[in-house]
């Protein structure tokens, strides 16, 4: 019974009791006061959970069926190192890969790629060595074709990595990636949503015909085209590594994306 029904029933019971007492005693007793208890204010509805745009799907077929022992995020490096080594079967771990704070650094880097820049302190790899190679094209500076070679070791390591196994490792340890993402200041967000959106951002890097023209307003070179200069850090990296390298990275990103979400990339 709801509260209103209880109050009505109490009033009816009081009336019946009063009538019965009048017939029994011929003197009506003073009816007891009926104290109506005010209904409490309705509780505020809990906030709706954010929609999961790209839910973590089941592990791919290559995933191990053995359960993964829970590992605290602060002690996850020891578990991730052999898992990373397995991604490069037959190859040594890339020397430029950082093996400390792996999950936190991956999450922080992914989160920063859509922004203006990525701090080297959170990147899970060493910065690309050497200085950006610049050539001259009709008196104007352009990105030199041999600049692509600086990125070759990174791209070759990515090409050697098993994306199906990489997705398995990611999905098995996803709760730790999610925890690291919440620590960044996203208590209600989902890291997989962020990761997929960043992959889509990288895939959508605009194509540029001909050499990339540069400007040097101060010491650091910038892109001469304001639209390219305004691109986020992730897309600028794709441009700087050259078309062949970028195409290889896109292929691996599409392969990995297909393993962690069922939705196709936007066209």
């Amino acid at each position: 019974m709801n509260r209103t029904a209880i109050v009505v029933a109490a009033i009816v019971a009081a009336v019946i009791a009063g009538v019965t007492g009048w017939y029994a005693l011929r003197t009506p007793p003073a009816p007891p006061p009926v104290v109506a208890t005010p209904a409490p204010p309705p509780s505020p509805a809990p906030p709706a959970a954010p929609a999961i745009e790209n839910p973590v799907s089941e592990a791919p077929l290559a995933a191990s069926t053995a359960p993964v022992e829970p590992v605290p995020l602060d002690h996850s490096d020891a578990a991730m190192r052999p898992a990373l080594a397995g991604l490069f079967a037959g190859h040594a771990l890339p020397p430029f890969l950082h093996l400390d704070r792996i999950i936190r650094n991956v999450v922080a880097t992914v989160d920063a790629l859509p922004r203006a820049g990525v701090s080297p302190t959170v990147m899970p790899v060493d910065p690309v060595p050497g200085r950006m190679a610049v050539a001259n094209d009709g008196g104007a500076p352009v990105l030199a074709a041999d600049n692509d070679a600086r990125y070759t070791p990174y791209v070759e390591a990515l090409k050697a990595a098993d994306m199906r196994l990489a997705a398995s490792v990611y999905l098995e340890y996803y709760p730790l990636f999610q925890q690291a993402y919440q620590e960044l200041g996203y208590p209600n967000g989902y890291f997989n949503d962020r990761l997929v959106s960043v992959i889509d951002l990288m895939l959508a890097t605009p194509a540029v015909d001909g050499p990339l023209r540069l400007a040097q307003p101060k010491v650091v070179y910038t892109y001469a085209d304001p639209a390219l200069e305004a691109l986020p850090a992730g897309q600028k990296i794709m441009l700087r590594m050259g078309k062949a390298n970028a195409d290889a990275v896109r292929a691996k990103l599409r392969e990995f994306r297909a393993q962690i979400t069922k939705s196709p990339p936007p066209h």
Side-chain angles (χ1 to χ4, degrees), residues 2-263:
N2 60 32
R3 186 172 298 275
T4 302
I6 292 173
V7 173
V8 171
I11 295 174
V12 171
V15 171
I16 293 173
V19 172
T20 304
W22 184 85
Y23 279 108
L25 302 176
R26 300 298 182 183
T27 55
V34 177
V35 179
T37 304
S43 301
I52 307 177
E53 298 175 3
N54 298 286
V56 177
S57 59
E58 294 180 359
L61 296 177
S64 169
T65 56
V68 175
E69 291 294 330
V71 177
L73 180 58
D74 289 337
H75 301 92
S76 59
D77 287 344
M80 290 298 294
R81 285 168 186 158
L84 290 175
L87 304 184
F88 302 93
H91 302 270
L93 275 174
F96 47 76
L97 185 65
H98 293 176
L99 299 178
D100 297 325
R101 295 175 54 87
I102 300 169
I103 291 179
R104 284 190 172 99
N105 285 343
V106 167
V107 169
T109 298
V110 167
D111 185 57
L113 286 173
R115 309 185 195 280
V118 182
S119 171
T121 60
V122 301
M123 293 188 68
V125 296
D126 291 332
V128 175
R131 301 185 64 179
M132 185 173 66
V134 178
N136 188 291
D137 182 33
V142 296
L143 192 66
D146 57 358
N147 185 72
D148 303 1
R150 300 168 58 220
Y151 294 86
T152 300
Y154 296 79
V155 176
E156 290 300 317
L158 181 62
K159 288 164 65 176
D162 185 334
M163 290 293 101
R164 197 174 185 87
L165 184 55
S168 298
V169 173
Y170 167 69
L171 294 171
E172 287 172 348
Y173 289 94
Y174 180 76
L176 300 185
F177 286 90
Q178 177 66 17
Q179 180 184 342
Y181 187 59
Q182 291 175 331
E183 287 181 357
L184 281 183
Y186 304 100
N188 298 317
Y190 297 95
F191 177 66
N192 205 59
D193 284 348
R194 184 64 164 174
L195 175 59
V196 173
S197 68
V198 171
I199 291 175
D200 291 344
L201 175 79
M202 305 286 275
L203 294 176
T205 302
V208 177
D209 295 327
L212 282 166
R213 299 195 171 276
L214 305 175
Q216 194 176 22
K218 295 181 181 179
V219 178
V220 179
Y221 282 101
T222 61
Y223 292 116
D225 185 343
L228 297 182
E229 183 59 28
L231 292 177
Q235 292 186 335
K236 285 184 176 179
I237 293 172
M238 295 287 280
L239 289 177
R240 283 198 299 271
M241 68 175 60
K243 184 179 184 305
N245 285 334
D247 287 345
V249 171
R250 284 190 184 92
K252 301 300 283 190
L253 289 177
R254 289 191 183 98
E255 187 180 347
F256 183 76
R257 188 192 190 283
Q259 298 291 328
I260 63 172
T261 181
K262 297 178 180 178
S263 60

